[in-house]
Each structure stands twice: as structure tokens, then as C-alpha cells.
Amino acid sequence: MLFELEVQVRHLEDGCATCVVTNDGVHAMVKEPEVDTADQQAALNAECLEYLNGIEDKLDQGYDVYSQYIDVPSFIDWYIVNELVKNFDAAFWTSTYCYRSEDGILHMGPVWDFDVCFGNQDVTYPDSVDNGLYPYNYRADKGAWYRTLFKDETFVNMLLERWNQLVNDGYFTDM
């Protein structure tokens, strides 16, 4: 299954037959598989909602639990890419993709849609007085699942280890 996470307000006028809203308020469009009838879509939506709510229930239970349900390395790499480019959409605003693999694990990605990154979004956030050009005004850590994961010391340490590995391997040398 492929999901696109985006804010619900984008669908208020037209509605969204392929959308579900999780217990943590994540608005997910079911992009794949496509189905033929409204009944099939309703059944798929129910399955997806149960799946995503189950993932959310595991996220605050510690690494030993959530690592059985999410692909932690993909969550870390997705976060690093989106933080580096300061992607406005990365707060699950739009164009945030994740998928359930055949083994039932949730993966973040593919990374997508960088039209509002590197300060190319002139907005002011409620917790700041700046505009989109402010260097600390990225949003990758503001997505619901990341707010939960950042409370877990193991996740944070794994993120720091991955960052240090990328730095030490020279990935950012020419940036």
C-alpha cells in the first residue's frame, strides 16, 4: 500500500473518497492499490485506518516495539533529507509518502516534491516570528509520527549515528 500524507484542509471542499484520518490526526490518502467500486474503497480505507492506527499505537512504546512495525532506517533517512532541504511539506503538509511493504512494515518514502524547500516558502509559523527564510524554520520534525519518535532516546541516538556516518563518509563535503 502506498500512502500520501497531507493536511485534511486540502480536501474540505471536494472530500476525499480515498482518505482516512488516524487517531493522531494524520490525514492519509490511499494512493495504491486502486480499487474499482465504492464498497471496495470503503473496505480498503477501513483496512488502512486500522493499520495506520496500529502503527501509531506502537510508536510511543519504545524502540523494541515500534522497530517491529516500522522501517527505522527509512524514517531516519527520510528525516535527514527533508531537514537538510528544509522541506515545508515534510510536516505531513503534502507530498509526504510512505508505504506498507509485503511484510507489513511501514517505510517512509519515497522522498518527493521539493518545490517548497530551501526557504522557498514564505510563511510564518505560530511558534515563531520569522518567515520561510529563517534557518531553523524547517518542518520535518513537526509531523505527528516524528513528534512521537523524537521523544525516544534510541531513535534520536540512531539518527545522530546516521548523521555522523554520512558526515564522516563525506556525503556533505561539497555541499
Side-chain angles (χ1 to χ4, degrees):
M1 286 180 198
L2 177 67
F3 304 99
E4 180 180 0
L5 312 179
E6 72 172 19
V7 293
Q8 190 171 4
V9 70
R10 294 177 62 113
H11 298 278
L12 290 181
E13 284 186 31
D14 301 335
C16 180
T18 63
C19 296
V20 298
V21 180
T22 70
N23 291 335
D24 286 348
V26 174
H27 183 261
M29 287 190 299
V30 182
K31 302 295 272 188
E32 292 178 6
E34 294 182 13
V35 294
D36 295 324
T37 68
D39 287 343
Q40 289 172 331
Q41 189 65 57
L44 180 60
N45 287 359
E47 177 186 348
C48 292
L49 185 59
E50 180 180 1
Y51 171 74
L52 293 174
N53 280 333
I55 295 290
E56 289 179 351
D57 289 345
K58 306 297 188 262
L59 290 179
D60 63 357
Q61 294 183 29
Y63 177 81
D64 290 339
V65 173
Y66 69 72
S67 64
Q68 298 175 50
Y69 298 90
I70 70 169
D71 179 61
V72 177
S74 74
F75 272 72
I76 287 172
D77 285 347
W78 183 93
Y79 175 80
I80 289 173
V81 167
N82 282 286
E83 180 177 285
L84 273 175
V85 300
K86 202 169 70 122
N87 188 359
F88 178 81
D89 289 338
F92 302 178
W93 181 257
T94 189
S95 301
T96 299
Y97 287 89
C98 59
Y99 65 94
R100 181 179 79 178
S101 57
E102 289 182 16
D103 60 3
I105 303 295
L106 183 67
H107 301 254
M108 284 303 290
V111 293
W112 193 259
D113 195 4
F114 295 99
D115 61 331
V116 289
C117 64
F118 292 116
N120 190 26
Q121 181 76 3
D122 189 17
V123 297
T124 300
Y125 301 113
D127 57 350
S128 66
V129 294
D130 54 80
N131 63 33
L133 301 177
Y134 188 63
Y136 298 103
N137 212 1
Y138 60 85
R139 304 211 9 132
D141 64 338
K142 295 183 185 336
W145 299 338
Y146 283 91
R147 286 192 311 264
T148 303
L149 287 168
F150 269 91
K151 294 176 185 175
D152 180 60
E153 186 176 333
T154 302
F155 181 83
V156 172
N157 287 334
M158 290 178 71
L159 173 63
L160 292 172
E161 287 175 19
R162 176 67 170 147
W163 173 259
N164 288 330
Q165 174 194 6
L166 293 170
V167 169
N168 292 334
D169 288 348
Y171 281 97
F172 309 120
T173 301
D174 294 330
M175 285 185 139

